[in-house]
Amino acid sequence: MAKNTVCVWYDKDAEAAARFYTTTFPNSVMGAIVRAPGDYPSGKEGDVLTVEFTVASVPCVGLNGGPVFKHNEAFSFQISTEDQEETDRYWNAIVGNGGEESECGWCRDKWGVSWQITPRTLIEALTAGGDEAKRAFDAMMTMKKINVAAIEAARRG
């Protein structure tokens, strides 16, 4: 186990979420599945308690902690993409599997976890600063899924 691991709380579907993530994103693998050694407030002995997984090279553990805590945009995974094809593939996988669109390249999966599907060209434009950043930012603010061609056109002015 990594020294620093992201723990993501799920009601009861940590294993299903981890399997979805590891089949959707490269450099992702399933790890150990730990079953509860006894009953607990939101589960029974033998239920999946935690699932270790790596998503896009980030070590995580999914915890089936029950309905006490809900996901929100204060935590998200940001996936950098190289082009529109890759952007579309990840966006469509998340949204098309029971998720929902949000704004400015954000979407939520069916478990409520937020994802930023962010083309490299957008990050490059924003870090460039000045007028290029402003144009790209203004274009991004009108989008749900990021349109790479529109961001590149905005960068050029």
Side-chain angles (χ1 to χ4, degrees), residues 2-68:
K3 189 160 187 82
N4 185 11
T5 303
V6 174
C7 181
V8 185
W9 183 291
Y10 296 88
D11 182 357
K12 61 183 178 210
D13 293 330
E15 183 178 2
R19 289 194 187 286
F20 172 73
Y21 305 151
T22 58
T23 60
T24 301
F25 299 101
N27 302 316
S28 301
V29 296
M30 289 290 293
I33 296 173
V34 176
R35 297 192 175 275
D39 291 351
Y40 59 108
S42 60
K44 303 278 184 213
E45 180 179 345
D47 288 352
V48 173
L49 181 62
T50 63
V51 178
E52 294 175 13
F53 61 99
T54 298
V55 61
S57 301
V58 175
C60 301
V61 63
L63 168 68
N64 283 330
V68 176

Side-chain angles (χ1 to χ4, degrees), residues 77-141:
F77 286 101
Q78 185 179 47
I79 302 294
S80 176
T81 60
E82 293 300 315
D83 54 28
Q84 192 67 55
E85 180 184 353
E86 188 178 21
T87 300
D88 292 348
R89 183 171 61 249
Y90 297 144
W91 184 273
N92 294 339
I94 292 168
V95 173
N97 188 46
E100 62 182 307
E101 295 181 324
S102 190
E103 305 294 325
C104 304
W106 291 60
C107 56
R108 279 180 293 283
D109 65 30
K110 71 179 180 181
W111 300 281
V113 176
S114 290
W115 294 81
Q116 297 177 60
I117 309 301
T118 310
R120 180 182 38 79
T121 191
L122 175 59
I123 299 300
E124 290 171 353
L126 295 175
T127 57
D131 291 340
E132 179 181 343
K134 175 76 168 104
R135 290 189 307 268
F137 181 80
D138 289 346
M140 176 199 69
M141 293 300 292

